[in-house]
Amino acid sequence: EKPLEKAEGREQFLPDYTPKVTAVQKLIADAKRCVAALDALRVRLLEATSEQRQKALDEEFFQKVEEGHGYIKEIQTTLKQMAADNQVFSKSRPDASEAKIREALHLSLTRKVKETVLELQKVERQCSADRKDKAARQFRRVIPEASESEIQGLVDGGATAASMMKMKMAGVHVSVQEELDKVQARHTAVHRLEKSVVELCRLFQDLENTW
């Protein structure tokens, strides 16, 4: 029987601890729902054909990212408090079986949330890669004469690279100029995702240190 399963029905034995365990379990479930929603949005973003649709899905995606990160931060805060409570309890009652149960529950919760953080990281990284691939395909279509290094520069360089390309291609068809004008918005979204992944790495490391 797993530690989290043992916790069920122990309200009388762990009256001040079981509610915290239940609260963290609920937050983990909420965070996992965010991961599933983000993955579904990632697919819809790949299928978006208009700039207006892309912007609407972007807004929905980043709102869900913030929601997911919020759950992780709340879990982290609760786990830190639970760890501190466990230390106090262990010092006051070092031989009590409850101390070991508390530690086992805390460890199980920490493992679960770390798994969820990795799942969240994975979908955010995949979305960032998807955006870059999509942008590269669009650039190859409207600027077929551009080299692969120039295409990669547009994908990675954002507004600066777009401005340089526009100067180089002065007088080309307006559709190409319009496509280049969209680079900054796309690059901003990718940059936000990359910052988000970095934040998740920090949160994961904090969780490592919590235990």
Side-chain angles (χ1 to χ4, degrees):
E1 194 176 16
K2 296 180 181 179
L4 290 181
E5 293 170 345
K6 286 183 178 181
E8 295 179 5
R10 289 189 181 273
E11 289 83 356
Q12 305 257 336
F13 183 53
L14 302 168
D16 63 332
Y17 204 72
T18 300
K20 294 176 184 177
V21 171
T22 303
V24 172
Q25 287 175 315
K26 181 181 181 303
L27 287 168
I28 291 173
D30 289 338
K32 286 185 176 293
R33 278 191 286 271
C34 276
V35 172
L38 283 169
D39 199 39
L41 282 166
R42 180 185 66 81
V43 175
R44 290 164 64 191
L45 277 162
L46 278 174
E47 298 169 348
T49 55
S50 71
E51 198 69 17
Q52 184 177 6
R53 180 63 173 160
Q54 178 93 24
K55 287 180 179 178
L57 288 171
D58 269 345
E59 183 176 351
E60 189 176 351
F61 186 91
F62 283 109
Q63 284 177 349
K64 193 59 68 174
V65 165
E66 289 182 11
E67 183 182 342
H69 284 225
Y71 289 134
I72 300 300
K73 290 175 183 176
E74 189 173 350
I75 293 168
Q76 181 190 43
T77 298
T78 305
L79 286 176
K80 284 183 177 180
Q81 184 58 58
M82 290 170 72
D85 291 345
N86 287 351
Q87 288 183 350
V88 172
F89 185 89
S90 294
K91 288 179 179 178
S92 63
R93 298 175 60 187
D95 298 325
S97 60
E98 183 178 340
K100 292 182 179 179
I101 294 172
R102 282 170 170 258
E103 289 180 1
L105 287 169
H106 188 274
L107 179 58
S108 293
L109 290 171
T110 301
R111 285 173 175 165
K112 290 285 186 182
V113 72
K114 283 164 65 177
E115 289 172 5
T116 306
V117 170
L118 292 177
E119 291 169 5
L120 193 52
Q121 275 185 326
K122 181 179 178 181
V123 72
E124 290 184 17
R125 282 181 170 142
Q126 186 59 57
C127 187
S128 179
D130 289 346
R131 287 167 185 266
K132 289 182 177 181
D133 288 344
K134 184 176 181 179
R137 289 195 303 271
Q138 290 170 326
F139 287 135
R140 290 189 191 99
R141 187 184 69 248
V142 298
I143 321 172
E145 66 274 26
S147 67
E148 280 303 308
S149 62
E150 287 174 326
I151 293 294
Q152 194 60 47
L154 283 168
V155 173
D156 294 336
T160 301
S163 297
M164 292 176 66
M165 181 63 79
K166 287 175 73 173
M167 289 173 63
K168 181 178 179 179
M169 303 180 66
V172 299
H173 193 275
V174 66
S175 64
V176 178
Q177 301 286 0
E178 289 173 349
E179 197 65 29
L180 290 170
D181 284 337
K182 297 172 185 176
V183 172
Q184 186 169 14
R186 293 184 186 130
H187 187 263
T188 299
V190 170
H191 185 60
R192 285 180 68 184
L193 276 170
E194 289 173 346
K195 286 180 65 177
S196 180
V197 169
V198 169
E199 181 182 44
L200 285 173
C201 288
R202 180 183 58 78
L203 290 171
F204 185 88
Q205 189 59 49
D206 285 347
L207 286 165
E208 289 272 89
N209 296 333
T210 298
W211 180 250

